[in-house]
Amino acid sequence: MNRRSATVTKAVLAGLGWGALSFAVSVPVRAGLYDEQMFSGGNLGTFAVVTTAATAATWFGINRRNTRTTG
């Protein structure tokens, strides 16, 4: 596995992990506050937004660390 695909894999897995965590927290909170179903648009939207943001942030962090020069 080359360096770029390893970075992509790490970023995607981190994004999915944070998305799953946000979904797990979002479901009971939204159910309690808004009486929403488990797979409501709000919960799925939370998962989608957090997964995308976490993937991008992880990618940025790994890429920045790998391209930093020492001097």
Side-chain angles (χ1 to χ4, degrees), residues 2-21:
N2 65 24
R3 190 171 178 171
R4 183 176 176 97
S5 71
T7 299
V8 170
T9 301
K10 286 180 189 176
V12 168
L13 290 176
L16 288 173
W18 283 109
L21 178 63

Side-chain angles (χ1 to χ4, degrees), residues 44-68:
L44 295 176
T46 298
F47 175 78
V49 168
V50 171
T51 299
T52 304
T55 300
T58 304
W59 176 296
F60 178 77
I62 291 171
N63 192 39
R64 180 178 168 153
R65 184 184 67 216
N66 290 340
T67 58
R68 201 174 337 168

Side-chain angles (χ1 to χ4, degrees), residues 14-40:
L16 288 173
W18 283 109
L21 178 63
S22 72
F23 185 78
V25 170
S26 176
V27 168
V29 169
R30 287 182 168 276
L33 294 176
Y34 308 118
D35 197 31
E36 286 189 9
Q37 298 295 323
M38 181 174 173
F39 293 109
S40 69

